[in-house]
Amino acid sequence: MSDPAQVAVVTGGARGIGAAIARRVVAAGGHVVLGDLAVEQGESLARELGPAACFVAADATSEADTMTLFDAASSYGAVDAVYANAGAVGVTGLLEGTAVDDARATMDRLFTSVFLAFKHGVAHMRPQGRGALVATASVASVRGGLGPHLYTAAKHAVKGLVESVAVEIAPYGLTANAVAPGATVSSLSAGLVGTGPADVERAYEQLASRSSSGVPTTSEDVAEAAYFLSRAHRVNGATVVIDGGDAVPGSAGRAYYGGVPHPAS
């Protein structure tokens, strides 16, 4: 028996992975509420997706704004999927040079946003006995050294929250899981690799050249995994790495068995 079409809330839904998730939900016959501060991009995506989607200008770190997203979703029916995707790289640099206010702002954007989406998602879905929470974590949530200090700490916190909440909500028919992307082709990564946020095609080429498989991870790859987790009723508390084997697990072992000369040889 197939699952019914979703009514989903997506934070950080205007661009990148969030937009890809929204497109995946709608393609499967669902409805989606997009929350984001990128108003122009969010409204454009909502127009693209038609009556199955609506955009709400919302700060994912604001509890009032988060509640507004769920209120908007009620026009489509009962919410049964929450994709906590809002985030940013946040503060970077040496630890001793990091300002406390910048650290707190980064934790808010990357962790508090997930906490709020999960809190209100559970409140809406627990009474109906079904529903899925999916957070966007990172390979930096399972291994250090793959991102800035506060980004890594926040993503580890997201992974921990997913595992803890999964225990609480399992008796009520709900699940909580996370996707953990590696470097992913998007406007964000285009800016990070120095090509400029509009040059996604060039970012694709650069990330492909850095990938052990020669193929970079795309937002659509991550969205497909996120959507799967929202439907996988017996998967709960998992963090699924999506990086093509580049970072977690690492690809250094190829030096021993993949035809690449061992560094010591």
Side-chain angles (χ1 to χ4, degrees), residues 87-93 102-103 105-107 109-110 148 150-151 188:
V89 174
V91 64
T92 62
D102 290 340
T106 298
M107 293 300 292
R109 180 58 58 191
L110 291 168
L150 271 297
Y151 181 89
L188 174 62

Side-chain angles (χ1 to χ4, degrees), residues 1-26:
M1 185 176 67
S2 62
D3 289 317
Q6 286 183 351
V7 174
V9 169
V10 183
T11 65
R15 299 166 289 184
I17 292 170
I21 291 171
R23 291 188 178 102
R24 182 65 181 86
V25 171
V26 172

Side-chain angles (χ1 to χ4, degrees), residues 16-17 20-21 24 179-185 204 213 215-229 240-244:
I17 292 170
I21 291 171
R24 182 65 181 86
V179 288
T184 302
V185 178
Y204 184 99
S213 65
V215 178
T217 301
T218 67
S219 295
E220 289 71 27
D221 294 329
V222 182
E224 193 63 38
Y227 188 76
F228 164 76
L229 289 173
V240 178
V241 172
I242 307 153
D243 76 336

Side-chain angles (χ1 to χ4, degrees), residues 64-186:
D65 284 8
T66 301
M67 294 171 68
T68 299
L69 295 178
F70 286 92
D71 290 342
S74 66
S75 64
Y76 293 127
V79 174
D80 45 26
V82 177
Y83 298 92
N85 174 72
V89 174
V91 64
T92 62
L94 298 175
L95 184 63
E96 62 264 36
T98 301
V100 171
D101 287 347
D102 290 340
R104 286 174 175 153
T106 298
M107 293 300 292
D108 263 359
R109 180 58 58 191
L110 291 168
F111 175 73
T112 303
S113 61
V114 177
F115 159 72
L116 288 172
F118 274 24
K119 173 184 175 180
H120 291 282
V122 170
H124 277 74
M125 297 187 296
R126 190 196 299 265
Q128 67 203 26
R130 72 176 193 281
L133 306 168
V134 183
T136 301
S138 165
V139 291
S141 69
V142 294
R143 178 174 295 173
L146 299 177
H149 296 313
L150 271 297
Y151 181 89
T152 299
K155 292 299 188 179
H156 271 68
V158 168
K159 181 176 182 291
L161 183 68
V162 163
E163 293 174 357
S164 187
V165 169
V167 175
E168 176 191 336
I169 65 178
Y172 303 98
L174 279 61
T175 61
N177 295 289
V179 288
T184 302
V185 178
S186 67

